[in-house]
Amino acid sequence: MKEVLNKMDKNKIFVGSLPWSINNDSLKELFSKYGEVTEAVVIMDRETNKSKGFGFVTFATPESAQKALEMSGQEVDGRAIVVNIAKPREERRSF
């Protein structure tokens, strides 16, 4: 099971500094030139339902995710986006 999780980690990229105009469909379209996108999600604020300015794209293969890293620094709607291989979410401590 852990091997499956590790494989999936390499298929998923983090995309930061997204313009507010980007939605799930346009994010998928933006990265589809690098390979088959299985999921593209822009993270939204629960209260305002507006983009938080970042999202995640999952590719069918790790090779496609690696190729997509070249988008980092590219300008999209006037903003230079940041692209990295996604890291597992850290546990949040509750107080």
Side-chain angles (χ1 to χ4, degrees), residues 16-48:
S17 295
L18 286 172
W20 309 123
S21 59
I22 296 284
N23 61 28
N24 292 350
D25 291 335
S26 56
L27 184 62
K28 182 175 184 173
E29 186 178 321
L30 183 66
F31 283 93
S32 63
K33 63 184 171 187
Y34 295 102
E36 181 187 348
V37 174
T38 58
E39 182 181 43
V41 179
V42 175
I43 305 303
M44 308 296 274
D45 184 283
R46 282 185 219 158
E47 293 180 23
T48 65

Side-chain angles (χ1 to χ4, degrees), residues 33-73:
K33 63 184 171 187
Y34 295 102
E36 181 187 348
V37 174
T38 58
E39 182 181 43
V41 179
V42 175
I43 305 303
M44 308 296 274
D45 184 283
R46 282 185 219 158
E47 293 180 23
T48 65
N49 206 32
K50 292 184 181 177
S51 168
K52 287 190 167 189
F54 69 94
F56 296 92
V57 178
T58 305
F59 290 92
T61 67
E63 293 80 17
S64 296
Q66 281 296 316
K67 282 193 263 179
L69 295 179
E70 71 186 41
M71 280 290 290
S72 194

Side-chain angles (χ1 to χ4, degrees), residues 13-19 22 27 30-31 34 53 68-84:
I13 60 171
F14 164 84
V15 186
S17 295
L18 286 172
I22 296 284
L27 184 62
L30 183 66
F31 283 93
Y34 295 102
L69 295 179
E70 71 186 41
M71 280 290 290
S72 194
Q74 297 293 316
E75 198 168 293
V76 177
D77 290 347
R79 296 190 71 169
I81 62 171
V82 176
V83 182
N84 295 303

